[in-house]
Structures are given as C-alpha cells and as structure tokens.
C-alpha cells in the first residue's frame, strides 16, 4: 500500500552564518533608524546577533566590521578614531530603500512618465483601442485588425472595414519637478511610534527612483519644523527630528520658491506630516500654538494652498494620523488647493507616493 503524506512538528534548521551580504542588509536598516550613528547601529547589531545567533565561530561581528572597512562601507578617522559611513554606504541605503518600497526597477536610459493624453504620442504602449479619425497608418495593429475582420465577417469572403481596425495606443511623455516636504517636528517620534524612519526611507527610495528611471526629472527635498530648509539626498540617512513645532507655512513657501525656478511644465509638492500646523515665523520671533487648530496659523496655511493652486502646483498631503479634526483640516486644505490627500499608515506610505508620482504627471498640449 502506498504511503501518503506524513505531518510532523516543524523543527527549524540550525542557524547558519548569513555571511556579509545578509548582515549588510540589516546594518543598512539600522543605520537609517539610528540616523547614521555607526556605533549605535553596531551595538544593536551585536544585540540582535546575541538573540538570533546570526554569526558563527568562523565569522563574527568583528569580521563583519573589518569587511565593512575593507569594502569601503566605513571609514575611520586616523586621529579621533571616529567611524562613519561612506558615500558607498549612503548609495546602498537608497538602493535598499528603493527595493524595499518600490520593488526592483531596471534602469532606463530616458527619464519619462506616462500622461493621461493619448493619440500620436512619444512611445508605444501595450494597450489597444478602436481606430479614430486622425490616427496614423503606423498605429494600426494589423494582426489584431485582421482577426477582428475574420470574427466579424467570416472566412468566406474576407474584407476589412473601419470598424475592424485596432490601433496601438501611444503615450505622451513629459518631465516633472517635485518637491518632497518632510515634517521633522517632535511629534514624529512621540507616542512610541517612529514615523521619521519610514518618511526617510520613502524619500530615499523616491530619490533613487528618479535617478534610475526618470533622470530628466528633478526632486528637491525640504524638511520643516520651526523653520524649513532644503537638504541633499546624501543627507537623508542622518535626518532626525528636533524639538520643533510644525511650520507648514515655511515649508510651502520654500517649496514654491524652488518650483518657480524650475522650467518644467509640470510641478508638484508631496507633503509627509503627522500633525497640524502649529507655528509661524513673524520677523525674528515665532508664533506658536500647539493646542487645537489656531485660526491665525490655519488661515495663513490655507492662503498658501490657494497660491499654489493659482500657479498650478498641486499639493498631495500624506497625513500619518487619523484624528478627526486633523482630517477636517487636511480636507479643507486639499479643497482649497484642488490637490489630493491620503490618510496613510506607515506601511502603505511608499506605495501611495510611488503611484501618485506616476499619476500626477500632466503634459501641456
């Protein structure tokens, strides 16, 4: 008699040395969480190794640290002995974030996005549609059109009519300028939830995506707390929150200034925040109110939303919070700007931004 399946308790295999590559992935994640603090990241890695036995007697954390130095991921100051990550590590952190959030993407020679406009476009797509007046002969999909004629009229006496024709859809491509605003107010680490690390990962992934697939686009990154300032992509792993309020007005003003200088026809602002605007700068002093929605701060913020609309800059807000009164403010802000708003969990943030980045493109025809 044949023996069927036998089920037993699963006994996991003994932990094996994951090698340099696996430890590197964990280390790069820890570097992002610790805002570039190598010592703290290695301390956490050692704790994880103690708990999960990731290394072996043949390859320990000390060997891994030495490999990091030899392979160019870490540099050590000869005088002070301080260990820092190198540009090679920074680039690998961005690539890791891109793969984690957006999936692996092949590098393209041209930086192009789809637009909703079709017809005689710049690049063919896989979509088919019926023939319309104005379509060129080159767009006709002959195999599909002949098949339609056979289905519609039979095989006895073959003939082709306009209604049988299918064309290959084409897509217009365009350039885009994007400003990504990241809230670094103190609330981004309050209540036991780390919100700044996912925001950093999204920013790094988006920056790497633009570099790889859309090199003609521009991406500028702004952080805003009591004030707003621009940072470089290479600075993202070191980004941390401060004891700041939320000066959304300063962030929007800086974003508008940057986009005014861009010559691309399509401009947009993405804003990642977890709270309401609570701060304004008046001269050299700050006007602050963290209790509820301050009318003075809110009205100034809404005025800037209207200004963005008038100069055709949509603002997409990604609110990492679900408080009803915050939702009401974001909805009002979005209505004034005629932009978009998402009330997102941290886990879904990257996918939302990626999809919106692709869909927000418009071409002026």
């Amino acid at each position: 008699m044949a023996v069927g399946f036998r089920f037993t308790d699963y006994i996991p295999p003994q932990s094996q040395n994951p090698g340099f590559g696996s430890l590197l992935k964990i280390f790069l994640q820890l570097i992002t969480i610790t805002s570039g603090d190598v010592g703290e990241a290695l301390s956490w890695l050692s704790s994880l190794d103690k708990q999960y036995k990731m290394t072996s007697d043949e390859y320990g954390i000390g060997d891994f640290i030495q490999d990091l130095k030899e392979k160019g991921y870490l540099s050590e100051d000869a005088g002070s002995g301080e260990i820092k990550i190198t540009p090679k590590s920074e680039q690998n952190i961005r690539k890791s974030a891109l793969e984690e959030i957006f999936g692996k993407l092949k590098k393209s020679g041209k930086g192009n996005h789809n637009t909703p406009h079709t017809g005689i476009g710049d690049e063919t797509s896989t979509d088919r549609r019926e023939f319309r007046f104005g379509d060129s002969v080159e767009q006709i999909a002959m195999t599909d059109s002949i098949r339609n004629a056979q289905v519609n009229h039979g095989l006895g006496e073959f003939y082709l009519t306009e209604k049988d024709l299918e064309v290959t859809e084409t897509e217009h491509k365009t350039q885009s300028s994007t400003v990504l605003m990241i809230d670094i107010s103190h609330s981004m680490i309050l209540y036991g939830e780390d919100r700044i690390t996912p925001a950093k990962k999204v920013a790094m992934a988006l920056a790497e995506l633009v570099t790889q697939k859309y090199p003609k686009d521009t991406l500028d990154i702004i952080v805003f707390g009591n004030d707003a300032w621009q940072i470089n992509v290479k600075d993202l792993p070191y980004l941390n929150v401060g004891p700041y309020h939320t000066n959304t007005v300063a962030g929007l003003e800086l974003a508008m200034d940057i986009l005014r200088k861009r010559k691309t026809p399509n401009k947009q602002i993405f804003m990642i925040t977890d709270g309401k605007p609570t701060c304004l700068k008046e001269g050299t002093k700050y006007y602050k109110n963290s209790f509820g929605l301050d009318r003075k701060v809110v009205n100034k913020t809404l005025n800037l939303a209207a200004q963005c609309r008038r100069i055709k800059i949509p603002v997409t807000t990604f609110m990492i919070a679900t408080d009803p009164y915050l939702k009401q403010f974001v909805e009002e802000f979005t209505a004034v700007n005629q932009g978009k708003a998402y009330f997102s969990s941290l886990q879904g943030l990257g996918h939302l931004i990626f999809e919106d980045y692709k869909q927000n493109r418009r071409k002026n025809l």
Side-chain angles (χ1 to χ4, degrees), residues 163-226:
K163 292 183 178 180
D164 300 323
L165 296 178
E166 281 191 27
V167 299
T168 301
E169 191 65 286
T170 55
E171 300 171 337
H172 292 275
K173 304 292 180 175
T174 187
Q175 292 174 279
S176 179
S177 293
T178 303
V179 171
L180 178 62
M181 295 172 51
I182 303 176
D183 184 351
I184 58 168
S185 62
H186 190 55
S187 61
M188 291 288 278
I189 56 169
L190 283 180
Y191 316 117
E193 186 172 39
D194 176 12
R195 296 168 176 174
I196 191 63
T197 298
K200 287 193 293 185
K201 284 185 178 181
V202 166
M204 289 187 290
L206 188 59
E208 194 66 14
L209 174 73
V210 170
T211 301
Q212 286 193 16
K213 195 170 184 182
Y214 308 120
K216 294 180 182 178
D217 284 9
T218 64
L219 175 67
D220 296 283
I221 300 171
I222 287 173
V223 295
F224 63 104
N226 289 352

Side-chain angles (χ1 to χ4, degrees), residues 4 16 28 84 100 137 164 225 285:
Q16 297 178 352
L28 294 178
K84 295 182 179 180
E100 177 186 344
V137 176
D164 300 323
K285 296 183 179 180

